[in-house]
């Protein structure tokens, strides 16, 4: 049990480090529309999944029609819509602010999972969970306050654009609160299925959605008289390499690691470990800025790490046992 918890935490850490890369893309190619980055990333993910699907074809044949419909839903909301909101938010508000709004995911998912999945996973006792959530929330607040102070000090800042970016980041939070809960449902209901196969299935399901999205976007930009050079933009080599790297490492391998973590950890705990993505994304953003985080930001990061460390020590209590204790 303990070894499984530690292995699950390690897989969640690797997934977070890989997923942090998705925050870098919009900063490296800011001239590319967010919608093009979204469909480009998942077109790459789908194409990468094809040879993997051929190698894993025997396991994929065992998936039912309902399984493929679920993979399609996860791909549409957890992949395409999520990244569209996130890339748009980063382009409007920069890296750190959307990153920290996304950083509320550990709190939101942990609370949602503890309310929703207690009978299946056991309940993480609220009195023991509260300090962890408080530390994570305090860490997020510290970094947000530091970013907002920097924003207010910038006379050329477009507050309306930043506000729109923040709203889009909250839309991304909604998408990625739904995704891990539904994804964990499927994995827990199919314990004999390989997380690798399920990651590949989501990639295959993403491909037709991304192709359709790419075609619609191309037609819409042509009809609207956009001067953007489709299909690959002004820096095709950079765009292709970036989308391929994010598609392979963040989309497929990151999803694989997250699936491994989801099979080993209660959903409420796994939700808190998404904080690794926030920490990785912040590190990458400050590296691209060539700037070291200030004291308040470092304090926030330390609080986030402390909250996660606290959370990993909490063991779920079966609902029946918890009820007996109350009586």
């Amino acid at each position: 049990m303990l070894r499984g918890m530690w292995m699950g935490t390690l897989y969640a850490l690797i997934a977070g480090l890989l997923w942090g890369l998705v925050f870098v893309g919009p900063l490296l190619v800011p001239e590319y529309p967010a919608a093009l980055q979204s469909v480009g990333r998942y077109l790459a993910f789908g194409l990468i999944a094809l040879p993997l699907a051929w190698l894993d074809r025997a396991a994929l044949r065992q998936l039912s029609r309902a399984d493929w419909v679920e993979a399609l839903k996860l791909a549409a909301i957890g992949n395409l819509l999520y990244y569209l909101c996130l890339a748009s938010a980063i382009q409007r508000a920069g890296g750190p602010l959307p990153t920290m709004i996304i950083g509320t995911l550990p709190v939101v998912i942990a609370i949602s999972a503890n309310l929703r999945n207690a009978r299946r996973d056991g309940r993480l006792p609220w009195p023991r969970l509260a300090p962890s959530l408080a530390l994570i929330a305090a860490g997020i607040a510290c970094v947000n306050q530091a970013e907002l102070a920097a924003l207010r000090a910038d006379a050329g800042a477009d507050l309306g654009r930043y506000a729109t970016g923040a709203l889009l980041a909250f839309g991304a939070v909604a998408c990625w609160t739904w995704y891990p809960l539904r994804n964990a449902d499927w994995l827990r209901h199919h314990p004999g299925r390989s997380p690798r196969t399920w990651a590949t299935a989501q990639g295959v399901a993403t491909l037709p959605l991304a192709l359709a999205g790419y075609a619609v976007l191309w037609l819409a930009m042509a009809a609207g008289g956009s001067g953007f050079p489709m299909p690959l933009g002004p820096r095709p080599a950079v765009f292709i390499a970036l989308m391929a790297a994010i598609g392979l490492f963040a989309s497929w391998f990151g999803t694989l690691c997250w699936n491994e973590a989801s099979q080993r950890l209660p959903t409420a705990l796994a939700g808190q470990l998404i904080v690794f993505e926030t920490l990785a994304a912040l590190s990458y953003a400050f590296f691209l800025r060539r700037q070291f985080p200030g004291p308040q930001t470092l304090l926030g990061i330390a609080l986030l790490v402390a909250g996660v460390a606290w959370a990993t020590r909490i063991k779920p209590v079966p609902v029946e046992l918890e009820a007996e204790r109350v009586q």
Side-chain angles (χ1 to χ4, degrees):
M1 175 69 176
L2 185 60
R3 184 176 183 276
M5 294 279 282
W6 278 111
M7 286 301 298
T9 302
L10 177 61
Y11 277 118
L13 170 61
I14 296 170
L17 292 172
L18 293 169
W19 282 341
L21 295 173
V22 307
F23 292 77
V24 174
L27 300 175
L28 293 179
V29 286
E31 71 273 28
Y32 280 73
L36 181 58
Q37 293 191 45
S38 181
V39 296
R41 170 191 172 182
Y42 288 107
L43 181 58
F45 178 27
L47 291 172
I48 289 167
L50 285 180
L52 298 171
W54 174 255
L55 295 173
D56 210 14
R57 59 191 181 278
L60 287 172
R61 286 196 197 101
Q62 297 175 12
L63 297 179
S64 67
R65 181 176 179 179
D67 293 333
W68 283 108
V69 169
E70 186 67 14
L72 198 63
K73 291 177 183 176
L74 290 168
I77 297 174
N79 290 350
L80 286 163
L81 183 57
Y82 164 75
Y83 197 59
L84 174 60
C85 290
L86 177 61
S88 300
I90 292 172
Q91 287 187 332
R92 286 165 172 75
L97 180 62
T99 299
M100 292 314 298
I101 291 174
I102 295 297
T104 63
L105 276 168
V107 179
V108 175
I109 294 174
I111 292 173
S112 300
N114 220 29
L115 293 171
R116 180 176 180 269
N117 298 327
R119 289 199 170 277
R120 184 189 70 195
D121 296 340
R123 192 187 303 281
L124 299 179
W126 289 110
R128 297 196 63 197
L129 185 62
S132 168
L133 295 177
L135 286 169
I136 292 172
I140 291 167
C142 282
V143 180
N144 268 332
Q145 188 173 354
E147 287 301 312
L148 290 172
L151 175 60
R152 286 192 291 267
D154 184 358
D158 185 343
L159 293 177
R161 185 174 175 83
Y162 273 85
T164 304
L167 288 174
L168 285 163
F170 281 116
V173 168
C175 291
W176 239 87
T177 299
W178 180 88
Y179 174 87
L181 295 175
R182 289 292 292 260
N183 191 54
D185 285 347
W186 190 91
L187 288 163
R188 289 302 185 87
H189 293 153
H190 302 81
R193 299 290 174 82
S194 165
R196 184 192 68 248
T197 300
W198 189 231
T200 302
Q202 289 184 45
V204 173
T206 299
L207 183 57
L209 293 176
L211 281 170
Y214 214 110
V216 169
L217 180 62
W218 194 345
L219 290 172
M221 292 177 77
S226 170
F228 188 86
M230 289 292 284
L232 298 174
R235 293 190 288 162
V238 172
F239 180 66
I240 292 172
L242 183 62
M243 294 301 103
I246 292 176
L248 174 61
F249 294 110
S251 295
W252 183 78
F253 193 48
T255 300
L256 168 59
C257 291
W258 184 255
N259 288 347
E260 293 281 2
S262 295
Q263 281 196 327
R264 289 169 169 81
L265 299 172
T267 309
L269 176 55
Q272 292 186 72
L273 298 184
I274 292 177
V275 75
F276 290 137
E277 176 187 17
T278 302
L279 294 173
L282 273 176
S283 300
Y284 303 154
F286 281 108
F287 177 78
L288 287 175
R289 284 183 176 183
R290 298 186 179 183
Q291 175 187 345
F292 194 75
Q296 191 171 19
T297 301
L298 289 174
L299 173 61
I301 291 170
L303 289 170
L304 285 170
V305 172
V308 170
W310 187 298
T312 58
R313 299 172 58 193
I314 304 173
K315 294 182 179 179
V317 177
V319 173
E320 295 79 7
L321 181 58
E322 187 182 47
E324 290 175 7
R325 288 178 179 177
V326 172
Q327 292 173 0

